Amino acid sequence: MQPAWPVPETFNAATYFVDRHLEEGRGEAVAIYFGDAQITYGEVARRVNQVGHALRRLGVRLEERVALLLLDGPEFVYSFFGAMKIGAVPLPLNTLLQPPSYAYILNDSRATVAIVSQELLPQLAPVRRALRYLKHLVVVGTAEAALSFWPWIEGEATALEAEPTSKDDMAFWLYSSGTTGMPKGVVHLHHDMSFALEHYARGVLGMHAGDRCFAIPKLFFAYGLGASLYFPFGVGASTVLYPGPFAPPTVFSLLQRYRPTLFFGVPTAYAALLAHHDAPEDLSFLRLCVSAGEALPPALYQRWRERFGVEILDGIGTTEAAHIFISNRPGRVKPGASGEVVPGYAARVVDDEGREVPPGEIGNLLIKGDSVAPFYWHQHDKSKQTFLGDWYATGDKYMRDEEGYFYYVGRADDLFKVGGQWFSPAEVEALVMEHPAVLECAIVGAQDADGLVKPRAHVVLKPGVNPSPELAQEIQEHVKQRVAPAYYKYPRWVVFASELPKTATGKIQRYKLRQEATA
Ligand code: 3UK
């Protein structure tokens, strides 16, 4: 099979990820498992072409954005590659946002067409009049999805010549949810998916045509887009798509039904699956599991391995980098580490002046690799702060050990100093969460009577446990004992809350907690 990297100067990603399979004789191979449907690469290619024609008929031109507000399913795939194939720019939207966020993103991106799942239409209706640039709304009905029949493209020609785009033309955008401010349009180019495919999916996961992928993160998320779509499609493997929300029983029944070889989740999902008591013991069809999105606690890695006999590879990726660039490798996992640099990428840990810091010291993580976005859409200052020539500043604090493993310490903007020493919220949150009464915890810096910054813990208790000053004190003692003699790390305040503020992708919004006054 043709390697994915390097790509030629004239390169349309839709031809590599879809059409190539027909030329290489995989037209009859299953690309997508969706409910009872098994959709072949040949069928996908024809539908992609029909969407391309239908979009042109609506007047969509080169470089115009086509928003996709779609539940996971075949129409997402057809629309994503169909838009790309005519040189337009698909823009998958998070399906969990509130109406004002859709108005913001649709106006900011100036998408002219939106392809929307019927179930999600009510999310757009309230802001319909605020949309300045949207001209057409294409609706995907529930019944159509189940039948794999789509009246909008019915009758369109099934052959389509790809727009001869440059490898450096815009291919797709994703709005990064971020933990602060308005979402930013991350612009990705036609060559970006190929770079991530070659170096991470093939290089680290050893992906091949015999694999079957199943991912908890949805296609609108950079993590899910690679895991459920362009990684399997890049190697001629198959993917399992599911439109609904995931609860542990659903995940286990889908695992048993489709028997995937690769499974992708976030740490919270692994925790929920482990906590589910009816868990079947046999997941031996899984070759590897991947965790990303936030740090995977070592205890989860161990428990998963003991229960199911398969490794979880923790790795860090970002929307800006398209996918994972530091990852554990099969057979050489260090629990608690994000892993080693993915071959093909480079990583540096630097101080605020850009000087590399020695192993064991905390610094800012910089990444180099050709899957990294060139800029944020019309955000000149934010782009300059983030994309520094060859290097991209992830905004994460990291530590490297002597053997080249990287350890996540916290977001740059969540980290703070206590008594002149760096304080890692992640480290102490893990200790608070060991307390049997605690369900969730987030720690932020708060000012004491002297105006000095000290750690404050926001704690959600397990159902049935009541907050009390005694319990707060007990939690403080619990941490003190474990951090001794680094007592500066224990939380000076414990604030009980019924829930923590989170972004649509589940990241805790610590800036909101920081704004709260200390009692
Ligand atoms: C954090 C991690 C510790 C980190 C993502 C493609 O999460 C993805 O993209 P986002 O833009 O968020 C990026 C930020 O999330 N993070 C991600 N992975 C880890 N922190 N350990 C990890 N393993 O702050 C990063 O800057 O939403 C995108 C592919 C995989 C992904 N996880």
Side-chain angles (χ1 to χ4, degrees), residues 176-178 221-224 230 266-267 291-296 314-326 337-338 392 394-396 398 408-411 505 507:
S176 86
S177 51
F221 187 25
Y223 182 21
Y230 68 84
V266 296
S291 172
E294 56 183 318
L296 179 71
D314 188 7
I316 172 174
T318 65
T319 306
E320 288 82 347
H323 222 275
I324 290 172
F325 45 76
I326 289 176
S338 302
Y392 144 60
T394 61
D396 292 302
Y398 258 82
Y408 176 76
V409 184
R411 286 291 301 170
T505 49
K507 296 201 167 75

Side-chain angles (χ1 to χ4, degrees), residues 494-515:
V494 174
V495 181
F496 295 108
S498 54
E499 56 176 0
L500 299 176
K502 290 189 181 158
T503 65
T505 49
K507 296 201 167 75
I508 296 170
Q509 294 167 305
R510 289 189 174 72
Y511 75 98
K512 289 199 176 156
L513 294 173
R514 268 196 290 273
Q515 286 159 7

Side-chain angles (χ1 to χ4, degrees), residues 392-412:
Y392 144 60
T394 61
D396 292 302
K397 292 280 180 185
Y398 258 82
M399 195 193 78
R400 186 171 32 102
D401 71 10
E402 298 281 355
E403 292 167 62
Y405 283 77
F406 288 76
Y407 292 79
Y408 176 76
V409 184
R411 286 291 301 170

Side-chain angles (χ1 to χ4, degrees), residues 32 34 39 70-78 145 219 241-243:
I32 302 172
F34 182 71
I39 303 164
L70 293 170
L71 301 176
D72 280 17
E75 287 80 4
F76 184 109
V77 178
Y78 307 155
L219 286 166
L241 297 181
Y242 180 76

Side-chain angles (χ1 to χ4, degrees), residues 63-68 89-93 101-114 131-134 170 172-175 183-187 376-379:
E63 293 156 27
E64 271 182 20
R65 270 71 67 194
V66 175
L68 313 182
V89 181
L91 162 57
L93 299 178
S101 298
Y102 290 123
Y104 177 82
I105 295 175
L106 289 169
N107 286 336
D108 187 72
S109 66
R110 310 198 184 109
T112 51
V113 173
L131 306 178
R132 293 174 64 92
Y133 307 99
L134 197 75
M170 299 194 291
F172 66 97
W173 293 11
L174 292 170
Y175 272 73
K184 304 180 287 288
V186 179
V187 173
Y376 297 119
W377 175 245
H378 61 207
Q379 295 273 2

Side-chain angles (χ1 to χ4, degrees), residues 65 92 172 291 300 349 365 367 415 422 486 511:
R65 270 71 67 194
F172 66 97
S291 172
L300 274 181
V349 180
L365 181 68
I367 293 298
L415 219 67
W422 277 116
Y511 75 98

